[in-house]
Amino acid sequence: MKYQPITCVWEVTMGCNMRCGHCGSSCTEPLSDELTTEEALDLCDQIAELGLKWITLSGGEPLTRKDTPLLVKRLSSLGITVNIITNGLLLEGEIAKELKDNGISTVAISIDGTPEVHDKIRCKGAFHHARLAFLTMKELGINTGAVTTITKQNINILEDLKELLIDMGVQSWQVQLGLPMGNLGKRPDWVLEPKQIKDVIDFCYDTAKEGRIAIYPADCIGYYTKKELEIKRLSYKNDTVPPWNGCNAGIRGFGILQNGDILGCTSIRSKEYIEGNIKDRPLREIWEDESKFLWRREMTKEKLSGTCNTCIYGNKCLGGCPNTRLTMNGDIYSENQYCSYHLALKEMEEKYNLCQNSKTLFRLADSLMRQGDYQEAAFALERVLKLDSENPDALKEKGYCEFMCGNYQRCLDANEKVLQQNGQDSYALGGYALALFQMGHKEEGLKKMQQAVDLTGGKDPDLLQDLHALQIQMGQ
């Protein structure tokens, strides 16, 4: 199997006993096409056969579906770790005990603020029931955690909520960005501004450093800033925890809707993103179909727009959470304005655009480049070239930095300008050759690299090393 899934989210029902103002699915009553118990149990078997390690059951409110404990039992008996996300309204007494007896691993309880704020967002008495649910889980010895959707309704009371969670004995806390879909799509004034993501990450960083509760920013919050990486290290208690490595959808995970529709992610649920239905085709057949999940499996940095198209992390990150881009901008290939690294880059650009001394700025860019800060050096050099567009040294360093950021066309363009001034510049010709090679023009790239080496009489060790590397890749 080319792609091995390890996890999925299954929205077992669209029925819900709350009417939350930020509900992304606008859940109310169960839909008529919901899987029957027999169909759902068969799907459990197919999930296990596909080799999944863990699954999250959600909704709607999954506990409004009467056979949810039975699904937990079937999945856990097949060796799958089963987690559930609930609003806690029904998580008392017999249902809670049944979940434990049937092998539930972790129960995540949604809680979005202090009593007043939480009840305003969800319904009267919601906070009281969430608190009781946490206490019940603690008594039963079931792993539990809190899940908070951050909007303008609660961003200013996160500190107060943290203290309440700690007092309730909650040990883990996931925070996620409220995206403008479903009910929240009708309340744009609730949605955070891009600049507020920095406030969220600062809060998570301070909380993680305290060590009183483990905090986990969801996949829609990040990426690649020092604070974000430190939050992960502290919360996971792992110095080698990897940074964001791209969206799991269609690669290592998928989503299931209440009617058996299969998609890459339950949040990206428009008709064009549905890959099939288990009533029509087996789950494995849908997953292994090479014509499915193409929006994710064939996504590349080059298809992204804006800053994401030139970001040094673009090939790995692929723009962060696709649903953030889709819901915020209406285009899954647009830049991610809610990425913390994107915001940092914008601040860099604004900072360098204020500088009017090209020589001072070039010295700074040169220092940044030598330290390996290629992205920031490229921003500084961009400003140098606006002030002194024909500066060959700035063009060559710009070409090198863009190459290191994976922006091969920009590297090509910068070195080409140098060669227009001096066709005998071996450094620029070598950079031009490497960019050509990386862009798929391998024969031409190898030829140009040989020319660059010849210009130095074969005495430049760096160019010789580059030539040798290209020859190896060409099998020569």
Side-chain angles (χ1 to χ4, degrees):
M1 202 163 23
K2 186 175 181 180
Y3 300 99
Q4 175 59 60
I6 58 175
T7 185
C8 80
V9 175
W10 181 1
E11 291 188 356
V12 296
T13 182
M14 285 283 280
C16 191
N17 48 14
M18 290 187 183
R19 301 292 181 266
C20 304
H22 59 10
C23 178
S25 304
S26 297
C27 296
T28 54
E29 302 298 326
L31 299 180
S32 60
D33 60 357
E34 195 171 282
L35 294 178
T36 65
T37 297
E38 183 179 359
E39 290 169 333
L41 289 172
D42 179 69
L43 179 54
C44 292
D45 296 339
Q46 293 188 54
I47 289 168
E49 193 271 333
L50 195 56
L52 265 69
K53 303 298 183 184
W54 65 87
I55 187 170
T56 298
L57 304 182
S58 70
E61 169 49 50
L63 295 181
T64 62
R65 178 168 173 139
K66 302 303 182 184
D67 60 1
T68 292
L70 186 59
L71 303 183
V72 173
K73 183 176 183 179
R74 176 64 69 90
L75 289 164
S76 64
S77 71
L78 293 168
I80 299 172
T81 298
V82 187
N83 308 316
I84 193 168
I85 301 176
T86 171
N87 59 34
L89 199 58
L90 298 175
L91 199 57
E92 300 166 21
E94 288 303 314
I95 291 183
K97 188 174 185 304
E98 190 176 6
L99 286 175
K100 178 181 181 179
D101 292 343
N102 288 355
I104 197 71
S105 176
T106 300
V107 174
I109 300 169
S110 299
I111 189 161
D112 297 310
T114 54
E116 181 181 357
V117 173
H118 185 71
D119 287 7
K120 177 185 175 183
I121 292 172
R122 290 178 174 266
C123 70
K124 186 176 181 180
F127 187 91
H128 171 72
H129 284 283
R131 183 195 294 273
L132 288 178
F134 279 121
L135 294 175
T136 300
M137 294 301 97
K138 188 174 183 179
E139 289 175 2
L140 291 173
I142 298 175
N143 292 329
T144 187
V147 177
T148 299
T149 299
I150 302 177
T151 67
K152 288 181 179 178
Q153 296 293 301
N154 60 11
I155 189 170
N156 294 322
I157 51 92
L158 292 177
E159 188 70 33
D160 294 334
L161 177 57
K162 179 189 72 177
E163 294 302 327
L164 288 171
L165 293 175
I166 292 172
D167 287 344
M168 288 188 279
V170 178
Q171 295 180 323
S172 69
W173 186 15
Q174 177 178 295
V175 294
Q176 58 195 26
L177 177 64
L179 299 175
M181 54 189 292
N183 291 348
L184 192 55
K186 303 169 188 174
R187 296 174 170 86
D189 55 312
W190 285 25
V191 179
L192 296 186
E193 304 295 330
K195 63 183 179 181
Q196 291 180 287
I197 291 299
K198 183 178 183 298
D199 297 331
V200 174
I201 290 180
D202 285 347
F203 171 77
C204 292
Y205 177 76
D206 292 340
T207 300
K209 284 189 69 178
E210 285 178 352
R212 298 163 64 210
I213 184 171
I215 192 164
Y216 303 92
D219 289 348
C220 53
I221 299 174
Y223 313 83
Y224 297 104
T225 59
K226 292 179 180 178
K227 283 188 176 181
E228 188 261 344
L229 294 172
E230 182 67 2
I231 293 164
K232 287 185 176 180
R233 187 187 73 79
L234 291 170
S235 292
Y236 286 100
K237 294 181 173 58
N238 184 349
D239 290 339
T240 60
V241 62
W244 170 261
N245 196 32
C247 174
N248 276 326
I251 305 296
R252 297 175 294 275
F254 57 91
I256 308 170
L257 298 185
Q258 88 291 332
N259 63 348
D261 280 340
I262 304 299
L263 22 63
C265 170
T266 54
S267 295
I268 305 176
R269 57 201 304 132
S270 300
K271 188 175 181 180
E272 62 266 36
Y273 296 107
I274 294 173
E275 312 295 345
N277 188 288
I278 59 101
K279 296 176 185 177
D280 304 320
R281 301 177 69 186
L283 176 59
R284 176 178 286 275
E285 192 174 301
I286 296 171
W287 178 260
E288 294 183 346
D289 189 332
E290 294 184 358
S291 69
K292 301 301 182 183
F293 306 98
L294 295 184
W295 68 269
R296 172 61 183 90
R297 292 176 179 177
E298 294 187 352
M299 184 177 286
T300 62
K301 173 183 174 179
E302 290 70 29
K303 291 181 180 180
L304 299 171
S305 63
T307 305
C308 292
N309 179 263
T310 59
C311 179
I312 191 170
Y313 300 112
N315 286 317
K316 178 186 288 286
C317 176
L318 296 174
C321 172
N323 194 46
T324 301
R325 305 194 303 272
L326 181 62
T327 55
M328 296 295 187
N329 308 323
D331 181 0
I332 208 165
Y333 297 104
S334 59
E335 71 177 1
N336 191 343
Q337 298 171 334
Y338 284 77
C339 164
S340 57
Y341 188 70
H342 168 88
L343 294 170
L345 293 182
K346 289 297 183 184
E347 290 177 358
M348 283 182 206
E349 187 175 27
E350 292 171 4
K351 176 178 69 175
Y352 290 125
N353 281 342
L354 295 174
C355 186
Q356 300 298 322
N357 189 316
S358 63
K359 292 182 179 179
T360 299
L361 198 52
F362 178 74
R363 287 195 294 271
L364 173 61
D366 184 69
S367 175
L368 288 167
M369 185 187 75
R370 296 180 188 283
Q371 294 173 45
D373 293 335
Y374 304 115
Q375 188 89 69
E376 185 167 358
F379 271 92
L381 289 163
E382 185 74 27
R383 179 59 180 166
V384 171
L385 291 168
K386 285 182 180 178
L387 298 169
D388 183 7
S389 62
E390 301 302 314
N391 185 324
D393 292 331
L395 284 167
K396 284 188 282 189
E397 289 203 358
K398 180 74 157 51
Y400 180 77
C401 290
E402 294 292 4
F403 183 89
M404 297 305 291
C405 290
N407 302 324
Y408 304 122
Q409 183 61 56
R410 289 191 171 203
C411 171
L412 197 74
D413 293 343
N415 284 300
E416 187 173 33
K417 288 181 180 179
V418 177
L419 293 170
Q420 288 171 356
Q421 298 177 35
N422 176 14
Q424 301 300 302
D425 192 309
S426 60
Y427 183 92
L429 186 57
Y432 186 87
L434 289 172
L436 278 175
F437 195 91
Q438 290 297 328
M439 293 170 69
H441 307 293
K442 298 186 183 299
E443 292 287 353
E444 186 179 0
L446 183 61
K447 180 180 176 181
K448 294 291 185 184
M449 183 59 74
Q450 183 65 64
Q451 292 174 4
V453 170
D454 292 342
L455 284 172
T456 67
K459 296 180 180 179
D460 188 310
D462 291 333
L463 289 175
L464 282 170
Q465 184 176 359
D466 289 337
L467 176 63
H468 183 57
L470 298 189
Q471 289 172 333
I472 291 175
Q473 290 185 60
M474 291 288 287
Q476 296 182 9

